[in-house]
Amino acid sequence: MGKAKQQKAENVVPMTQPGPVSVIIVGAGFAGIGMAIKLKQAGITDFVILERDQRVGGTWRDNQYPGAACDIPSNLYSYSFAQNPQWSRAFSGAREILGYIDSMVDDFGLMPFIRFNTNVQGMHFDEQKGRWQLPCEDGTLWEGRSVVMASGPLANCSLPAIDGISGFAGKVIHSARWDHDYDFSGKKVAVIGTGASAVQIVPELVKQARHVTVFQRTPGWVLPRPDYRTPGWQRRLFDRFPAAQTAVREALFYGHESMALGLIWSSPLTRALEAFGRWHLRRQVKDRWMRRQLTPDYRLGCKRVLMSSDYYPALQRPNCKLVTWPIDRVSAQGICTAEGVEHRFDAIVCATGFEVSHQGTPYPVTGVGNRQLADDWSGGAQAYKSVNVAGYPNLFLTFGPNSGPGHNSALVYMESQLDYAVRGIEKILRENLRMLDVKPEVQARYNIGIQKRLAKTNWNSGCKSWYLTPDGFNATMYPGFATQYANQLRELKEKDYRLVPA
Amino acid sequence: MANIDLDKMLEKVKSSQWLLADIDWDAPGAEMISDEQRPKLTRFMSDLVWIEHVGARGFAAMAKNAPDDTLRQLYTYFHAEEQRHANAELALMRRWGMLEEGDIPVPNNSIRLSIEWLDRYADDLPYHVLGSVIPALEVALDGALCKFLLDEVSDPVCHDVFARINDDESRHLGVGFTVMEMQGHDKTLLDLVEMITPAVDLRVVLGLVVYWPLLNKMRDNVVAMGLPEEKLFGAMKKFEKIGGRTAAGRRNPFFRVISAHMKTVMDRDQLFYHVPVDLMVRLTDRIPRRLLPAVPSWVKELTAEPYA
Ligand SMILES: Cc1cc2nc3c(=O)[nH]c(=O)nc-3n(C[C@H](O)[C@H](O)[C@H](O)COP(=O)(O)OP(=O)(O)OC[C@H]3O[C@@H](n4cnc5c(N)ncnc54)[C@H](O)[C@@H]3O)c2cc1C
Ligand SMILES: [Fe+2]
Ligand SMILES: [Fe+2]
């Protein structure tokens, strides 16, 4: 059995013999693929991508639920170094985004670098050799002078911690692990959760299922999403004149940048956006009580703003019902709520988000002197400019601590991280360094500044969200404009690092 | 009961949930309701359902205005639990043949006006006002109405249902009194004045116009059922005693106003109050149905069905 699996893996990947490489990239999502492209463009080809799944795509491979799409316009939710003139919609669907990632893999010839079905189980830094060692589930051990940890902040999902959910007799589906073989027609379905995924799923589900009940704990701010099919002339224009697409991208970028003023900090723009949200609600929902149920009681921006024009109408369809009673437990046949009723279902869809680790690490990471990253992060994850962590030399993070955007495309942030990592890796290789390690005092100073700035943001204004640890520490978001974030990463300052030659 | 730990209370509430489905609605005992009892009991139960339901809406408003997350969660549960009480009482009515399947009792005009008022204004009401009114009503319910019902009705299913309801109510009261004390704590006279000032506005006056006749009408209904007035009076004494147990509790101005008012309601000799208010009751009753605003949609959430 184990042998058959290994053989299959060998069929998929040409590489069979792990050997020391310059760079190991963990994960073949947007970040891992982007990193590989940047390395190739910098002339570094001695790298490998380890991916636990059988295909690339990460988030967009996993989140294939009906309605899955980005909520930042595609022209901005894409890499500037690999623009796609062919986006079919302003906000493209998961399948199309996955296709875009596939096409980057093809266009930049990355397939030979990727080793699939390779689940990294930990990483350990060998100080003497100046090499990271990565044991994998299939028994292989990979060695690299540097590592890019691109395993994604939202790659692990789990069922919500509701009593009895494992004993439910019907079908349970997590939004990030959709079961495309399950036929919803004629079914009575529950959706738990009303976040970013739920507002995309519900409008599609009400078209398929006999009845949909949406269980809401806290309502989110919803703004209309100006989605449209892109006209043919636009695609031809972008195809012929890439500069036109770049111009549109720039405009979108600055449009989103300006939103930071309202989304990140409390300002008159926040009030204006809240008024806009309430207007959207009033326009789409006629019933006063339902509007009350859907009105958020926290400041806009504190949690991710939801973008949807069809969520509210879907909730009001005759075959849909919004339930705001607290959930007590899941029984064999349905969901029991505190108003004393057992709501019975054929299927439960959990759109309850992801296991975001603010404190731990997805696998053990052992640095200099056997220190454990999980220990260093037990009070909340910290890094230097979100990319490096003191005591863990030659390690580069994508989507690391305090790199989350509240108002702009994650990929814009990602590009800066990738360029910064390339600079670090180039330095290690060119100057033949055994260790490039950020100084602990530099990292500490950086984080004092970050936390001070975070205290003034909407995220830290009192709501509960996955941005914060249970203690209210924000290890997730970057308190500033994307431009500021990019500027700080523009240059790798040698004095910030401890350089140890080989 | 003094100063309970609200976080522990929340855990207790979460672990004490029950369902309509936990009760065997077809168990023997329904026949114990006599034909003589039935019409009065129907009116009594209808009132009870609506009081629970109006109370539920009150808790929903408290959840909106709660000062911290624990209280917000507690009130969110209490909102649902009052709904559960109303649902269970509906199921009892159906068991006793007082309701057709899918029916809910017709609310009287006072109830209709209260619902309308709550729906429009309760969310904007200062937190302290509801924080004192709700416990007062709950004591009246708990201490008088429910006990009386259990004296009158011997159906074991009814006793089972009210054992569960009263268990919930004891937690509502525990939180209610703790909050009233918290509000009276460490307050200077100035703070107290500040607490009261926002409560005095037109909405509140409008509320009183609805609330006073509602109480009188309910009192009349239960007395018509045979509930001795002394029992009601006793219940209000209890409210005064528990709420006024500590100096902090006594200092809460809303507590003082409300307990004085409750006593007045129960004491028919206070003519200067009852003559005008009873007149208001009659006027309220006269309002033609078609002039009343449509019931808000939350009312349609009432159900006697254990499963949905
Ligand atoms: C439904 C959804 C919608 C989103 N929409 C937007 C949007 O509109 N705009 C926006 O800016 N952001 C959006 N995001 C955020 C999104 O996560 C990021 O934009 C981006 O896709 C993250 O890419 P990544 O490569 O960092 O991580 P991922 O895409 O998660 O990729 C990580 C990869 O690493 C692999 N991996 C993980 N652990 C291991 C291991 N131990 N060993 C080997 N491989 C491993 C995983 O299998 C995966 O392939 C959305 C997220 C979700 C879930
Ligand atoms: Fe009750
Ligand atoms: Fe109660």
Side-chain angles (χ1 to χ4, degrees), chain A residues 300-319:
Chain A
L300 179 136
C302 193
K303 295 183 198 191
R304 193 178 175 82
V305 174
L306 309 174
M307 306 290 292
S308 175
S309 302
D310 49 9
Y311 175 59
Y312 289 151
L315 287 178
Q316 295 169 91
R317 297 249 305 215
N319 67 333

Tab-separated table of all heavy atoms in Angstrom, chain A residues 300-319:
chain	number	residue	atom	x	y	z
A	300	LEU	N	-17.103	49.178	11.524
A	300	LEU	CA	-16.706	48.636	10.229
A	300	LEU	C	-15.185	48.581	10.140
A	300	LEU	O	-14.496	49.504	10.577
A	300	LEU	CB	-17.263	49.515	9.104
A	300	LEU	CG	-16.927	49.101	7.677
A	300	LEU	CD1	-18.152	49.185	6.789
A	300	LEU	CD2	-15.825	49.970	7.098
A	301	GLY	N	-14.677	47.479	9.598
A	301	GLY	CA	-13.233	47.340	9.471
A	301	GLY	C	-12.635	46.474	10.555
A	301	GLY	O	-11.533	45.959	10.412
A	302	CYS	N	-13.379	46.301	11.662
A	302	CYS	CA	-12.850	45.497	12.773
A	302	CYS	C	-12.659	44.051	12.326
A	302	CYS	O	-11.706	43.399	12.700
A	302	CYS	CB	-13.793	45.581	13.968
A	302	CYS	SG	-13.079	44.939	15.489
A	303	LYS	N	-13.599	43.572	11.524
A	303	LYS	CA	-13.452	42.266	10.894
A	303	LYS	C	-13.445	42.485	9.390
A	303	LYS	O	-13.777	43.565	8.919
A	303	LYS	CB	-14.647	41.361	11.215
A	303	LYS	CG	-14.775	41.015	12.655
A	303	LYS	CD	-15.935	40.080	12.826
A	303	LYS	CE	-16.355	40.060	14.270
A	303	LYS	NZ	-17.298	38.997	14.548
A	304	ARG	N	-13.148	41.430	8.647
A	304	ARG	CA	-13.117	41.534	7.200
A	304	ARG	C	-14.475	42.029	6.684
A	304	ARG	O	-15.528	41.498	7.049
A	304	ARG	CB	-12.817	40.165	6.602
A	304	ARG	CG	-12.456	40.237	5.142
A	304	ARG	CD	-12.101	38.859	4.585
A	304	ARG	NE	-11.877	38.985	3.163
A	304	ARG	CZ	-10.725	39.407	2.647
A	304	ARG	NH1	-9.721	39.708	3.436
A	304	ARG	NH2	-10.585	39.528	1.329
A	305	VAL	N	-14.450	43.061	5.852
A	305	VAL	CA	-15.679	43.574	5.254
A	305	VAL	C	-16.126	42.593	4.168
A	305	VAL	O	-15.312	42.132	3.372
A	305	VAL	CB	-15.458	44.979	4.661
A	305	VAL	CG1	-16.691	45.440	3.907
A	305	VAL	CG2	-15.114	45.969	5.762
A	306	LEU	N	-17.399	42.244	4.168
A	306	LEU	CA	-17.902	41.276	3.198
A	306	LEU	C	-18.367	42.006	1.959
A	306	LEU	O	-18.956	43.079	2.047
A	306	LEU	CB	-19.054	40.477	3.814
A	306	LEU	CG	-18.738	39.870	5.188
A	306	LEU	CD1	-19.979	39.218	5.788
A	306	LEU	CD2	-17.616	38.859	5.068
A	307	MET	N	-18.099	41.416	0.800
A	307	MET	CA	-18.477	42.055	-0.449
A	307	MET	C	-19.502	41.173	-1.146
A	307	MET	O	-19.163	40.076	-1.598
A	307	MET	CB	-17.246	42.211	-1.364
A	307	MET	CG	-16.069	42.926	-0.725
A	307	MET	SD	-16.382	44.669	-0.477
A	307	MET	CE	-16.426	45.217	-2.170
A	308	SER	N	-20.744	41.634	-1.213
A	308	SER	CA	-21.734	40.830	-1.920
A	308	SER	C	-22.958	41.657	-2.263
A	308	SER	O	-23.457	42.424	-1.447
A	308	SER	CB	-22.175	39.643	-1.065
A	308	SER	OG	-23.204	38.952	-1.728
A	309	SER	N	-23.435	41.460	-3.467
A	309	SER	CA	-24.679	42.105	-3.873
A	309	SER	C	-25.833	41.121	-3.866
A	309	SER	O	-26.979	41.528	-4.014
A	309	SER	CB	-24.534	42.710	-5.275
A	309	SER	OG	-23.468	43.637	-5.274
A	310	ASP	N	-25.541	39.840	-3.741
A	310	ASP	CA	-26.645	38.874	-3.818
A	310	ASP	C	-26.878	38.071	-2.538
A	310	ASP	O	-27.734	37.201	-2.500
A	310	ASP	CB	-26.466	37.929	-5.020
A	310	ASP	CG	-25.065	37.336	-5.097
A	310	ASP	OD1	-24.286	37.517	-4.134
A	310	ASP	OD2	-24.751	36.695	-6.115
A	311	TYR	N	-26.138	38.399	-1.474
A	311	TYR	CA	-26.328	37.659	-0.215
A	311	TYR	C	-27.666	38.026	0.440
A	311	TYR	O	-28.482	37.144	0.754
A	311	TYR	CB	-25.165	37.953	0.726
A	311	TYR	CG	-25.300	37.346	2.104
A	311	TYR	CD1	-25.422	35.969	2.269
A	311	TYR	CD2	-25.300	38.152	3.245
A	311	TYR	CE1	-25.533	35.412	3.535
A	311	TYR	CE2	-25.406	37.592	4.511
A	311	TYR	CZ	-25.527	36.235	4.652
A	311	TYR	OH	-25.644	35.689	5.910
A	312	TYR	N	-27.919	39.300	0.621
A	312	TYR	CA	-29.186	39.719	1.247
A	312	TYR	C	-30.404	39.228	0.453
A	312	TYR	O	-31.338	38.684	1.040
A	312	TYR	CB	-29.239	41.241	1.409
A	312	TYR	CG	-28.301	41.823	2.465
A	312	TYR	CD1	-27.792	43.112	2.317
A	312	TYR	CD2	-27.943	41.099	3.596
A	312	TYR	CE1	-26.949	43.668	3.279
A	312	TYR	CE2	-27.104	41.648	4.552
A	312	TYR	CZ	-26.609	42.935	4.394
A	312	TYR	OH	-25.790	43.479	5.340
A	313	PRO	N	-30.415	39.413	-0.856
A	313	PRO	CA	-31.569	38.878	-1.600
A	313	PRO	C	-31.728	37.367	-1.425
A	313	PRO	O	-32.849	36.878	-1.297
A	313	PRO	CB	-31.252	39.229	-3.056
A	313	PRO	CG	-30.340	40.411	-2.974
A	313	PRO	CD	-29.532	40.214	-1.720
A	314	ALA	N	-30.614	36.652	-1.379
A	314	ALA	CA	-30.707	35.193	-1.225
A	314	ALA	C	-31.359	34.832	0.110
A	314	ALA	O	-32.182	33.916	0.180
A	314	ALA	CB	-29.318	34.556	-1.308
A	315	LEU	N	-31.015	35.572	1.156
A	315	LEU	CA	-31.593	35.278	2.473
A	315	LEU	C	-33.108	35.442	2.477
A	315	LEU	O	-33.799	34.850	3.303
A	315	LEU	CB	-31.001	36.215	3.535
A	315	LEU	CG	-29.566	35.970	3.980
A	315	LEU	CD1	-29.153	37.029	4.992
A	315	LEU	CD2	-29.416	34.579	4.587
A	316	GLN	N	-33.595	36.268	1.565
A	316	GLN	CA	-35.034	36.540	1.555
A	316	GLN	C	-35.808	35.664	0.587
A	316	GLN	O	-37.016	35.825	0.443
A	316	GLN	CB	-35.269	38.021	1.203
A	316	GLN	CG	-34.710	38.949	2.273
A	316	GLN	CD	-34.705	40.394	1.822
A	316	GLN	OE1	-35.640	41.129	2.036
A	316	GLN	NE2	-33.628	40.795	1.172
A	317	ARG	N	-35.099	34.763	-0.067
A	317	ARG	CA	-35.825	33.854	-0.950
A	317	ARG	C	-36.767	33.000	-0.118
A	317	ARG	O	-36.484	32.685	1.042
A	317	ARG	CB	-34.822	32.938	-1.671
A	317	ARG	CG	-33.860	33.691	-2.566
A	317	ARG	CD	-34.112	33.425	-4.011
A	317	ARG	NE	-34.089	32.009	-4.322
A	317	ARG	CZ	-33.619	31.531	-5.473
A	317	ARG	NH1	-33.089	32.355	-6.370
A	317	ARG	NH2	-33.673	30.237	-5.733
A	318	PRO	N	-37.902	32.573	-0.707
A	318	PRO	CA	-38.861	31.788	0.073
A	318	PRO	C	-38.262	30.490	0.623
A	318	PRO	O	-38.724	29.991	1.643
A	318	PRO	CB	-39.998	31.499	-0.917
A	318	PRO	CG	-39.636	32.155	-2.193
A	318	PRO	CD	-38.355	32.894	-2.058
A	319	ASN	N	-37.250	29.967	-0.017
A	319	ASN	CA	-36.667	28.705	0.471
A	319	ASN	C	-35.429	28.939	1.342
A	319	ASN	O	-34.593	28.064	1.494
A	319	ASN	CB	-36.323	27.766	-0.687
A	319	ASN	CG	-35.198	28.310	-1.546
A	319	ASN	OD1	-35.011	29.523	-1.622
A	319	ASN	ND2	-34.443	27.443	-2.179
